[in-house]
Amino acid sequence: MTGRDSTTRTSMQSPDSYWLTTGPEWTRGSAPLPRHTGVCVLGAGVMGSTLAYWLTRAGQRPLVLDRNPSPAMGSSGRNAGRLIQGGHAQHAVAIERHGHAEALALYQATLVNRDLVREVVAREGLETTRHATAKLDLAVEEDEALELKRTAEALRSDGIPAEWLDLPAAREVFGTDLPDTVLGGLYRPDQDSVHSVAYVRGMADAAARAGAEFVCGVTAMSVEPVQGGGWLVTTDAGQVAAEHVVVALNAWTPRLLPELAPVIQPVRGQLVQTAPVPFRIPQWGLDRGLVYGGQAPDGSLLLGGLRTTVPGRDEGIDLPQDGNTPAFSPELADRLATALPALLPETTGVPVVRAWSGVMAFTPDRCPLVGAWPGREGLWVMAAFNGHGMPYSQVMPEQLAERILGGPGAGIPTAFDPARFL
Ligand SMILES: Cc1cc2nc3c(=O)[nH]c(=O)nc-3n(C[C@H](O)[C@H](O)[C@H](O)COP(=O)(O)OP(=O)(O)OC[C@H]3O[C@@H](n4cnc5c(N)ncnc54)[C@H](O)[C@@H]3O)c2cc1C
């Protein structure tokens, strides 16, 4: 693989992501662990940090614990930064799977999210962490083209802008060449990308300014009910009693809630990054999103996916106890680097300068778990976003904060209810 640090090939540790390397440092020191708190949030990824933000907006002073020295060192700092509207499934497929009303609720949640992201980054002075783009889902097989055409129609009939483009039109939108094997693509304007680490640490910092307490470098080990109400969180730095505990630990959630081990599957995701290129491309996906890409603010291209090309290599992998990613796969990085010029001919000769891995958490129905743990008052879960946490990164925390404080939180789709598995 061209231009890659030679240590990458021999080491099974993932190098840091572009976002972690270029993002702002977390300069807030950690206070000692308090003995009591109202809401204790476990995990300072995008979900936990943003939940803390929305809790402070409702007048709370939540406690956030993370085992890393800074927020965003788990998957939230290692992703591709794309806020893909609609989340995991194409709208036509989601309609078949969930029925029209629920599929529309799922899609609309991500549109509410888009508006919230724009509102929040403006309010908190984080505009430079976001940029606007479009999404182009490409098809090389007839059946995928049909699915994307049906999705374009279904979205339009729900009032959401979307269009099927044939290859010449897709090439025009893409801004660079596409191979002749591409049949065309589903075009959706008005999408967002973020600098993941700047966005998440910006949210955490805004929450901390408003009274949330972040205690980093502390590993949560168990959550137990307390007789008479509330919860006791045991960590490697002592215990905290809380009225509410929210487990936002992504693929590590089953460590604290072992009932979820059969439900949450850890899946490795990897990305390669090129040197900056002189053209701009939209976010794109191919082969039902199994290969995907985007562009960082400095013009470099990101390419990820190919996780199903070697059975058993990436899905259901072992998670190290303390690491932030599963072992890095040089073989997968090489496959991605080789795939790039085949997909984007103009990248021939453009060096790949970085590759990194992270972990995603998949569920059998590809919907996350957001809401109350049934029958255990004060215990909440917000995890397993199936590789698509960013398009829910404001709306789910905002709505969950409302529920924790006794409100309806009606914007959480019923398909996300943890009770479906418990
Ligand atoms: C390569 C890759 C590309 C991706 N691309 C995209 C994309 O473009 N768009 C998108 O929407 N999604 C993408 N995702 C998925 C996205 O990153 C996740 O959905 C999202 O980051 C989940 O956020 P989270 O807060 O739930 O998890 P995390 O960010 O993983 O946060 C969990 C936190 O829990 C902490 N923790 C774990 N165990 C403990 C413990 N015992 N005690 C204390 N703290 C603990 C970790 O340190 C971590 O900070 C991608 C993922 C990968 C790996």
Side-chain angles (χ1 to χ4, degrees), residues 45-47 66-68 75-76 79-80 82 220 250 358 387-391:
V46 69
M47 295 302 159
D66 198 287
R67 68 177 179 200
N68 274 297
S75 299
S76 300
N79 58 33
R82 310 175 318 155
N250 190 14
H388 289 271
M390 303 307 263

Side-chain angles (χ1 to χ4, degrees), residues 32-50:
L33 203 62
R35 296 172 67 142
H36 303 275
T37 187
V39 186
C40 179
V41 181
L42 303 181
V46 69
M47 295 302 159
S49 301
T50 311

Side-chain angles (χ1 to χ4, degrees), residues 76-345:
S76 300
R78 295 170 188 278
N79 58 33
R82 310 175 318 155
L83 281 66
I84 296 170
Q85 289 162 22
H88 176 74
Q90 292 295 353
H91 196 44
V93 177
I95 290 171
E96 279 156 22
R97 202 176 284 167
H98 302 285
H100 181 254
E102 188 64 10
L104 187 55
L106 294 176
Y107 206 100
Q108 274 170 343
T110 64
L111 297 179
V112 173
N113 189 77
R114 173 198 61 195
D115 296 343
L116 276 177
V117 168
R118 293 175 185 186
E119 179 191 313
V120 167
V121 298
R123 182 165 59 227
E124 303 302 338
L126 298 169
E127 283 102 330
T128 55
T129 69
R130 179 194 79 89
H131 69 268
T133 179
K135 176 97 200 285
L136 192 59
D137 292 302
L138 302 165
V140 284
E141 306 282 348
E142 285 294 346
D143 61 337
E144 190 183 10
L146 205 61
E147 191 176 294
L148 295 176
K149 286 176 189 169
R150 285 194 295 117
T151 289
E153 269 168 43
L155 285 170
R156 273 203 309 276
S157 81
D158 281 330
I160 299 163
E163 207 182 331
W164 167 261
L165 303 179
D166 59 15
L167 181 56
R171 278 182 171 145
E172 215 160 292
V173 164
F174 212 64
T176 182
D177 210 0
L178 286 168
D180 289 339
T181 44
V182 171
L183 300 173
L186 168 70
Y187 171 72
R188 289 179 289 163
D190 205 20
Q191 312 279 321
D192 296 287
S193 280
V194 292
H195 184 301
S196 309
V197 168
Y199 172 62
V200 177
R201 290 193 184 154
M203 292 315 305
D205 193 53
R209 284 197 307 272
E213 199 169 330
F214 282 73
V215 179
C216 294
V218 165
T219 300
M221 292 175 325
S222 68
V223 186
E224 303 289 340
V226 175
Q227 228 179 4
W231 294 88
L232 190 65
V233 178
T234 300
T235 77
D236 59 356
Q239 292 185 315
V240 190
E243 284 162 47
H244 298 270
V245 173
V246 185
V247 183
L249 296 177
N250 190 14
W252 297 276
T253 297
R255 295 263 160 86
L256 266 76
L257 303 174
E259 295 93 325
L260 292 178
V263 173
I264 296 182
Q265 185 192 41
V267 174
R268 171 171 43 208
Q270 279 196 190
L271 288 166
V272 296
Q273 181 186 22
T274 67
V277 296
F279 48 85
R280 297 294 312 176
I281 61 167
Q283 297 172 0
W284 60 274
L286 181 72
D287 202 4
R288 296 185 170 85
L290 289 175
V291 194
Y292 61 88
Q295 195 162 23
D298 69 352
S300 59
L301 301 177
L302 301 172
L303 177 93
L306 292 182
R307 69 169 187 275
T308 54
T309 47
V310 178
R313 181 191 52 191
D314 306 301
E315 302 193 327
I317 36 89
D318 288 330
L319 266 185
Q321 280 290 343
D322 302 319
N324 291 311
T325 76
F328 178 80
S329 165
E331 187 264 338
L332 175 55
D334 280 344
R335 273 183 194 240
L336 286 166
T338 311
L340 190 63
L343 292 165
L344 303 178

Side-chain angles (χ1 to χ4, degrees), residues 383-419:
F385 280 82
N386 289 273
H388 289 271
M390 303 307 263
Y392 300 106
S393 59
Q394 294 292 334
V395 66
M396 289 305 122
E398 187 231 16
Q399 291 292 300
L400 189 64
E402 188 177 298
R403 275 200 194 169
I404 292 168
L405 301 177
I412 302 175
T414 50
F416 292 3
D417 189 348

